Amino acid sequence: MSNLAFNSIRKTFGPTVALQGLDLDVRDGELISLLGPSGCGKTTALRIAAGFEAADSGSVVVADENISNLPAHKRNMGMVFQSYSLFPNLDVASNVEYGLRTRKVDKTERRKRVADILELVELTDQAIKYPHQLSGGQQQRVALARALAIQPSVLLLDEPLSALDAKVRSSLRDEIRRIQTELGITTLFVTHDQEEALGISDRIGVMSQGSLEQLGTPAEIYGDPANAFVARFIGSMNEIPATVVDARAVRVLEVVVPTTRSHDFAAGERINLLVRPEDTSIVAEGDSGLSGTVVSQTFQGSSTDVGVRLAVLDVLISVHVVGSTEGVLRAGDQVTVAVDGARAVFEPAS
Amino acid sequence: MSSRPLRSRLSRIGPNLVLLGALVFFTAPLVSTARQALQTVPMPLLNWNTLSDKWTLAGVRRIFDEENFWPTLRVSLELAAATVVITLALLVPTALFVHLRLPKARALVEFLTVLPYVVPPVALAAGVAAFYRANARWFFTSTYALVPFYVVMALPFTYRAIDAGIKAIDVRTLVDASRSLGAGWVTTLRRAVLPNMASSLISASFLTATVVLGEFTIAVTLAKQTFPTFAFEFFGRDFQGGVALALLTLVMTTVLLGILTILTRPKAVRAARKTDRLAKA
Amino acid sequence: MTDTTITLDGGRTASAAPAARPQRRRFRFGAWMGLLPFLGFLFLFLLLPTYGVVTKAFSNESGGFTTSAISDVISNERKAFYGSMKVSFVTALLGVVLGTMLAYAAATATRPKWLRSLVSAFSGVAANMGGVVLAFLFITLLGRQGLGTKLVREGLGYDLYGTSWFDISSFWGWVTVYMYFQIPLMVLVTLPAIDGLKPAWREASSNLGGTTWTYWRRVGLPVLAPSMLGGFLLLFANAFSAYATVYALNTQANLMPVKISAGLRNDVGGRSPAPYALATCMIVVIAVAMGGYLLLRKRAERWRAT
């Protein structure tokens, strides 16, 4: 039973506040991603958990034990760094067994565990190679093996895929998730790549400027963003100027768009309506909707992003259309766009 | 943002002691030299009472009264200038050539530029005597014969400086861009390549000049009259004067180094300063 | 001037690349011509003198080949040889230890921010400093009438010149003065190596349960070892070939460079092979040391790349 909990962690570096009282509970066996732009505090939180930074106030708890005052080398956590963390003078096997040697595990047991873990990351035949002879992806797999060999209570990953090529990134990402689920190890994963976070996490913590903006499952983060920041950070958002009618509707020009999310805006207030491209659609000319002109069509394979410049508002939005629009739409065509406000997020007009 | 292990504050004591010790060791000789050069109180008489007595520039002035001072200084400056010119004329084209046309030769050239280390100045002087005294006496007797050997001595440093300057500017792309826009080789060098190497060329020149102005070994072994040989002989006659000369040399070197540092400041910094000044105007 | 091979198999064979090859082959000889000035210069002013030294070392007074000059010199100048070896070894060892410590202190200093640049810049200047000026500096500090000598005598009650082992013009005096350029040289060579110690290694070691000592013992020092050993060899070669500094401290110093220079100056006619034989031995020692240094440097750089 090892959970990882941050209780009101606060950290400043000189005048900069890196973390403003973080409260987060990673449940046993769960993979939580900390997602956010650089400077949001996600890496700081991870390093405080690892013991490389000391929080100004608050505590870190693992398996119901307060480890805040435990030095880094006594916390039983495995960490995978962004890059270049393998010891260059040791071969793969020696790197992986490093943590076992510090724990005074005897030779036969060490050999066995190293072999097992190398098999898990599918690098058995690279055991005698040195780090400089391996590719970036292989090096990170060794780093993962090394962190897991000590059978840690918690696994910490600091943007482990950022330095890798796109293709390697996605395959390694899936592999990390597979291993994590197989071993059932509590994991904290830091990244700035939302696709990564959405793809592997049980829950995602979106952070900005030292605070946790929203904590939820990938579907919740995507479909029900807590505020404009989260809405914008995940996926793409259209921004449509609108005026609040009441608690259940807004008005864009003369078109009334029903909404379901609760908000604090007063009637008549000007807002930006944040709507996902897939919540907009091109409808027949006579139907209720906003007029606009087709500006671009970007074919994505299974769908097309149609760029439409709305009349009067002069705002460029992206409409998500399933399949191809080749032959159906042309640049310059006049279209009508319907807006579904069910998941829309409100933002004060700037 | 800096990050330090939790025990950081304690672990800085050792390094800080080392830094302090280094500071003392490296500045102490400078202090004693300045005192010796500028104060005419003999050491046995020096104490807290006499500490502020007899500070004078007399020792420094005696330097300039020496009849061999200006001639040998001139000779050394000429040697330095000649060495710088020949070094740049020889190494810049060679380095550019290796980078642009013959990358395969890179390893060989880098090895060759380290060779001068293997033949120390004394041995080189012996070699000059061995070979050129017999085979080219006219060359051997001239003081300017020192120049090519100075070029060889400075080679490891100067080549590395020039090479670093070339590596830093992605010369391949610059040349390709310049030539695709229609410029010939000379124009390309003059307007696209060399200006961007300015700071490394200045550094290399400065390094060379310092080496030449301080080179004593070969000069004294081959019985040439240069500034360092004059300094040595002067020191034997006039202790305070000689020390004053050493001090003067140090001051000049530091000033030149300061000028060099300012001249070779990254362009972005200079541009930013200029913008600041314009904005404030 | 590309040639694309057009074939009748529907364009499955397109070859634009091979066109580059024939052009390069033709110019290959010409390309090396560009190196001629450089090679020629080295030939004339490095190779020929070296050749001159070596041939003179192996010839007797009338010009015939003999190894007797070398063997004579080895037996006669044994003291100078050991003297040079001793000075070089001691200053190299001290230089490695103190230089690494200083480099580490400078590389890991975060406050003030300009400290590292200062140490680096100063080392660049001091490493090349030497010669007579340095000797003068230390004579004013640690000579018989030196400021430092006086301070130590009056402040600590210890008379440097009352002891039998210290004198600015003999062994320990030379060693002290040599440190002024040996330490900076080591700093210059070691700073890049220390920079190459990635913080992630330290943290990973800590994360896996290792203490500071564990890290240094199993990762830090092994990674630095080639650089440190290489530095030792470089410093050794540097000290072995130093002349001006020690000559200014003591014109009669019993070291190889001093003997060579004195021998050359006394032998105006160029008859005696002794100084040349000495110089040849010197070249051999330094060549071995420098060769070792270069090999180790290559090894160290390989690890830095990961």
Side-chain angles (χ1 to χ4, degrees):
Chain A
M1 178 58 213
S2 32
N3 64 322
L4 167 68
F6 295 83
N7 297 323
S8 303
I9 295 286
R10 195 184 154 75
K11 177 73 181 174
T12 56
F13 290 104
T16 331
V17 180
L19 288 173
Q20 309 183 28
L22 176 70
D23 286 295
L24 175 66
D25 194 346
V26 188
R27 301 180 200 130
D28 181 38
E30 185 179 30
L31 191 158
I32 285 195
S33 293
L34 287 183
L35 175 66
S38 34
C40 70
K42 56 192 193 296
T43 304
T44 310
L46 193 81
R47 291 175 62 84
I48 289 180
F52 300 133
E53 306 281 352
D56 296 339
S57 60
S59 62
V60 179
V61 171
V62 172
D64 300 327
E65 201 185 300
N66 187 342
I67 59 160
S68 311
N69 294 320
L70 216 54
H73 65 273
K74 293 221 177 88
R75 306 189 184 194
N76 191 28
M77 299 185 182
M79 183 146 170
V80 179
F81 298 79
Q82 191 169 349
S83 59
Y84 305 119
S85 66
L86 296 182
F87 307 126
N89 57 313
L90 301 175
D91 64 19
V92 166
S94 306
N95 259 284
V96 173
E97 70 168 10
Y98 191 93
L100 298 175
R101 287 186 65 172
T102 59
R103 283 163 174 74
K104 314 272 203 295
V105 175
D106 74 76
K107 207 168 194 181
T108 8
E109 175 65 20
R110 278 203 320 254
R111 287 269 164 81
K112 180 181 175 302
R113 288 220 243 167
V114 168
D116 288 342
I117 206 88
L118 283 180
E119 205 182 307
L120 187 63
V121 297
E122 294 169 12
L123 281 177
T124 317
D125 47 347
Q126 310 291 336
I128 51 168
K129 290 243 175 93
Y130 281 85
H132 69 267
Q133 297 170 297
L134 302 176
S135 69
Q138 287 172 322
Q139 286 184 35
Q140 288 300 66
R141 301 226 296 275
V142 174
L144 184 63
R146 185 178 65 180
L148 293 173
I150 56 173
Q151 292 169 344
S153 42
V154 173
L155 182 63
L156 304 169
L157 299 128
D158 186 3
E159 306 209 43
L161 310 174
S162 303
L164 303 173
D165 293 333
K167 208 147 193 235
V168 179
R169 212 184 293 175
S170 52
S171 68
L172 191 53
R173 182 184 85 199
D174 297 334
E175 211 173 304
I176 291 178
R177 177 56 160 170
R178 172 182 68 82
I179 294 174
Q180 186 264 337
T181 334
E182 207 173 300
L183 296 175
I185 186 168
T186 312
T187 304
L188 190 61
F189 187 100
V190 163
T191 179
H192 63 266
D193 184 330
Q194 38 144 329
E195 215 179 283
E196 253 169 45
L198 289 172
I200 63 169
S201 321
D202 292 313
R203 284 192 296 167
I204 302 178
V206 181
M207 293 183 68
S208 166
Q209 296 184 318
S211 14
L212 192 59
E213 299 286 334
Q214 183 175 2
L215 178 66
T217 65
E220 285 165 9
I221 300 282
Y222 187 84
D224 194 7
N227 54 39
F229 173 81
V230 179
R232 276 214 181 77
F233 196 79
I234 312 279
S236 48
M237 274 294 188
N238 288 319
E239 248 180 74
I240 303 177
T243 315
V244 177
V245 173
D246 57 33
R248 303 221 145 251
V250 300
R251 190 168 46 80
V252 183
L253 295 180
E254 346 68 70
V255 178
V256 174
V257 177
T259 62
T260 39
R261 291 173 58 123
S262 53
H263 63 84
D264 302 325
F265 293 91
E269 248 187 279
R270 295 268 184 111
I271 56 156
N272 278 334
L273 197 66
L274 300 177
V275 179
R276 296 232 180 259
E278 58 264 32
D279 291 334
T280 61
S281 50
I282 296 183
V283 293
E285 209 172 314
D287 291 357
S288 159
L290 304 164
S291 313
T293 316
V294 173
V295 169
S296 65
Q297 299 168 67
T298 312
F299 183 53
Q300 305 279 26
S302 54
S303 61
T304 306
D305 293 331
V306 181
V308 176
R309 186 168 290 278
L310 296 177
V312 180
L313 296 168
D314 198 22
V315 158
L316 187 63
I317 64 167
S318 181
V319 179
H320 182 267
V321 176
V322 174
S324 159
T325 56
E326 212 175 287
V328 177
L329 289 176
R330 263 203 324 259
D333 283 354
Q334 298 286 90
V335 291
T336 309
V337 176
V339 173
D340 178 358
R343 302 193 301 179
V345 177
F346 292 23
E347 189 190 40
S350 44
Chain B
M1 275 186 255
S2 69
S3 58
R4 288 196 242 141
L6 291 176
R7 306 168 300 284
S8 62
R9 233 143 288 161
L10 270 179
S11 70
R12 290 307 302 171
I13 290 187
N16 285 342
L17 271 177
V18 169
L19 288 169
L20 190 64
L23 182 68
V24 169
F25 179 70
F26 287 102
T27 54
L30 304 172
V31 170
S32 62
T33 301
R35 192 225 70 93
Q36 182 70 52
L38 302 172
Q39 187 182 31
T40 325
V41 175
M43 193 57 75
L45 294 180
L46 183 67
N47 54 43
W48 290 113
N49 298 326
T50 57
L51 193 56
S52 46
D53 294 350
K54 295 204 189 145
W55 287 85
T56 164
L57 287 175
V60 180
R61 258 175 282 152
R62 287 203 297 279
I63 300 174
F64 296 99
D65 292 338
E66 282 286 317
E67 67 166 313
N68 273 329
F69 173 73
W70 289 110
T72 54
L73 181 60
R74 215 186 78 178
V75 167
S76 283
L77 284 173
E78 285 171 5
L79 290 176
T83 311
V84 167
V85 167
I86 294 185
T87 301
L88 293 180
L90 183 70
L91 292 185
V92 173
T94 305
L96 284 173
F97 190 80
V98 169
H99 269 262
L100 294 174
R101 274 278 172 78
L102 206 58
K104 296 180 85 178
R106 169 110 42 109
L108 174 68
V109 170
E110 280 179 1
F111 170 71
L112 288 177
T113 56
V114 179
L115 271 188
Y117 271 139
V118 173
V119 183
V122 198
L124 191 61
V128 177
F131 189 84
Y132 286 97
R133 182 158 50 193
N135 299 328
R137 213 174 180 104
W138 54 272
F139 176 69
F140 182 72
T141 47
S142 154
T143 310
Y144 287 91
L146 290 172
V147 171
F149 304 105
Y150 284 176
V151 172
V152 168
M153 272 178 68
L155 204 66
F157 309 111
T158 48
Y159 189 82
R160 197 177 318 157
I162 294 173
D163 194 52
I166 292 180
K167 279 198 190 125
I169 61 172
D170 189 5
V171 79
R172 171 96 263 165
T173 309
L174 276 178
V175 165
D176 286 347
S178 166
R179 302 204 58 213
S180 75
L181 290 166
W185 275 109
V186 178
T187 318
T188 301
L189 279 176
R190 189 164 56 88
R191 298 185 63 188
V193 177
L194 291 176
N196 284 304
M197 287 176 59
S199 77
S200 70
L201 293 180
I202 294 177
S203 299
S205 307
F206 179 78
L207 265 170
T208 313
T210 332
V211 167
V212 174
L213 287 169
E215 203 288 322
F216 178 74
T217 309
I218 300 188
V220 82
T221 307
L222 298 180
K224 310 283 183 202
Q225 303 291 340
T226 63
F227 189 64
T229 60
F230 157 73
F232 180 73
E233 183 257 340
F234 178 50
F235 182 78
R237 277 187 286 119
D238 178 347
F239 183 64
Q240 190 189 29
V243 173
L245 185 55
L247 185 66
L248 195 63
T249 316
L250 281 177
V251 168
M252 294 264 47
T253 316
T254 317
V255 166
L256 283 174
L257 189 63
I259 297 178
L260 173 76
T261 318
I262 295 178
L263 277 180
T264 59
R265 232 182 349 189
K267 285 208 173 77
V269 179
R270 265 183 278 149
R273 297 249 164 128
K274 207 170 176 186
T275 323
D276 273 352
R277 254 182 284 131
L278 288 173
K280 286 189 186 139
Chain C
M1 200 181 100
T2 55
D3 58 280
T4 334
T5 315
I6 304 172
T7 64
L8 296 174
D9 60 358
R12 257 171 296 157
T13 320
S15 48
R21 309 280 142 179
Q23 214 168 8
R24 209 186 72 191
R25 282 205 137 244
R26 215 185 327 132
F27 283 154
R28 227 182 73 149
F29 180 66
W32 289 86
M33 300 290 282
L35 281 184
L36 215 56
F38 179 70
L39 295 174
F41 195 88
L42 278 183
F43 177 78
L44 276 179
F45 300 113
L46 183 62
L47 212 72
L48 285 183
T50 312
Y51 168 78
V53 170
V54 175
T55 43
K56 266 224 147 81
F58 284 101
S59 54
N60 54 30
E61 307 245 331
S62 51
F65 180 86
T66 169
T67 56
S68 63
I70 300 265
S71 46
D72 282 348
V73 127
I74 290 180
S75 43
N76 294 343
E77 302 293 355
R78 193 156 276 185
K79 270 200 152 165
F81 179 73
Y82 282 141
S84 282
M85 288 296 257
K86 208 168 134 190
V87 168
S88 308
F89 188 85
V90 170
T91 59
L93 197 60
L94 282 176
V96 166
V97 171
L98 298 174
T100 306
M101 281 164 51
L102 183 57
Y104 183 73
T108 54
T110 45
R111 296 184 296 223
K113 278 194 286 248
W114 42 262
L115 187 63
R116 189 217 153 99
S117 325
L118 178 68
V119 171
S120 179
F122 177 77
S123 299
V125 173
N128 290 319
M129 201 162 102
V132 291
V133 169
L134 184 64
F136 297 170
L137 293 196
F138 268 91
I139 291 177
T140 66
L141 182 70
L142 293 174
R144 245 170 232 284
Q145 300 297 335
L147 185 63
T149 315
K150 184 183 174 75
L151 286 176
V152 165
R153 186 170 48 226
E154 293 179 8
L156 301 173
Y158 184 68
D159 184 6
L160 276 175
Y161 282 83
T163 64
S164 59
W165 63 276
F166 185 83
D167 190 318
I168 196 72
S169 52
S170 70
F171 184 78
W172 286 107
W174 307 336
V175 168
T176 312
V177 179
Y178 274 32
M179 296 322 295
Y180 205 87
F181 55 78
Q182 293 285 65
I183 293 180
L185 185 60
M186 187 65 189
V187 169
L188 278 185
V189 168
T190 310
L191 269 178
I194 292 187
D195 282 343
L197 291 177
K198 306 260 182 285
W201 297 341
R202 181 76 193 260
E203 290 176 349
S205 168
S206 179
N207 172 258
L208 292 164
T211 60
T212 307
W213 173 233
T214 317
Y215 166 70
W216 282 110
R217 183 170 53 94
R218 298 185 57 196
V219 182
L221 287 176
V223 172
L224 276 184
S227 294
M228 288 175 72
L229 196 52
F232 177 83
L233 291 175
L234 180 67
L235 261 57
F236 183 90
N238 196 38
F240 204 86
S241 46
Y243 171 77
T245 313
V246 72
Y247 183 74
L249 289 174
N250 182 350
T251 57
Q252 306 295 328
N254 201 354
L255 298 177
M256 277 177 76
V258 178
K259 290 280 166 183
I260 295 173
S261 179
L264 287 171
R265 266 178 295 159
N266 292 336
D267 174 48
V268 185
R271 299 293 177 85
S272 164
Y276 303 100
L278 265 182
T280 306
C281 293
M282 203 172 156
I283 293 178
V284 170
V285 171
I286 298 199
V288 169
M290 286 304 293
Y293 164 68
L294 288 175
L295 280 173
L296 285 166
R297 193 172 75 175
K298 271 211 154 47
R299 178 105 174 272
E301 273 164 14
R302 186 182 44 161
W303 280 347
R304 220 172 293 156
T306 45

